[in-house]
Amino acid sequence: MPGEFYDTLGEISGYAMELGDSIRDTQLTIGDALVHGLEIERNGNVILIYGTESDRTFRVDYRFRISNHLPVSDEEVQEHADGLGGIDVDLNQLRATIRKQKLERIDESEREDAFASARTEAEQIKTGIQWLTYDDEGSDLWDGFVIQTRLYPYSSDFGIKRYNETMKQVVGDGVPIASVIFDSLDVLGQEQAPELSEAEQGSHSRTYQ
């Protein structure tokens, strides 16, 4: 029911705030469906929690897109805009176009090595993973990954502990994979790699045992 769904989002928001996570409401298009949820930031890492009013579980995603981390300066955007001869352009869209061009220019062997390292790291995780390509329809240009799991907020034992365990799991599984991608792609070297808190490091280390 709609009321129960939004009450549940409110409950999750309360747990997030109590644990010091930053939150904001969000909407996503998944397939043909518009879904509602929360964008949660923890220790600089962004996690999406979302679902529909008919679902009894929520999806929890840790997404890492290489293109989102490619450095694009305001000067680069303006230079490209000036080169269009005064045509009105959406600067955010232009920035995305520049990022795609930089993604395409990554050396193929370097990209393959990064993907191989990411797949090796992914063998250690407990959650599900999907490899992402660039958003263009039909694109086969590798652009990162998404770690996926489920949250069961309607379960009788759901509470702040279950919420926190789920968050630690997706961050603890996702960040090491993102980190090896940072280490493998020189073009990402100017930006700080994602980090784990001490608690999440402990959670991830258990997957190696």
Side-chain angles (χ1 to χ4, degrees), residues 115-132:
F115 187 40
S117 296
R119 284 189 301 178
T120 298
E121 186 68 34
E123 293 173 0
Q124 312 294 333
I125 69 174
K126 295 178 179 178
T127 45
I129 187 170
Q130 288 187 0
W131 302 106
L132 300 175

Side-chain angles (χ1 to χ4, degrees), residues 88-179:
D88 240 1
V89 293
D90 182 331
L91 294 183
N92 287 331
Q93 184 59 48
L94 188 54
R95 188 181 296 272
T97 299
I98 296 170
R99 282 200 170 110
K100 182 187 177 185
Q101 292 170 349
K102 291 190 174 188
L103 184 66
E104 291 171 330
R105 288 199 296 266
I106 294 174
D107 181 77
E108 185 175 349
S109 62
E110 187 179 3
R111 189 198 322 275
E112 289 174 353
D113 288 347
F115 187 40
S117 296
R119 284 189 301 178
T120 298
E121 186 68 34
E123 293 173 0
Q124 312 294 333
I125 69 174
K126 295 178 179 178
T127 45
I129 187 170
Q130 288 187 0
W131 302 106
L132 300 175
T133 57
Y134 195 81
D135 283 336
D136 289 351
E137 187 174 348
S139 170
D140 60 357
L141 183 61
W142 178 52
D143 193 23
F145 65 92
V146 55
I147 295 290
Q148 301 172 321
T149 191
R150 294 275 180 177
L151 195 63
Y152 299 88
Y154 301 108
S155 173
S156 60
D157 66 347
F158 179 70
I160 192 169
K161 180 181 177 181
R162 293 290 186 202
Y163 164 81
N164 194 38
E165 288 173 344
T166 303
M167 294 290 288
K168 288 200 299 183
Q169 187 67 60
V170 293
V171 173
D173 284 351
V175 167
I177 301 172
S179 294

Side-chain angles (χ1 to χ4, degrees), residues 67 153 178 197 207:
S67 57
S197 68
T207 68

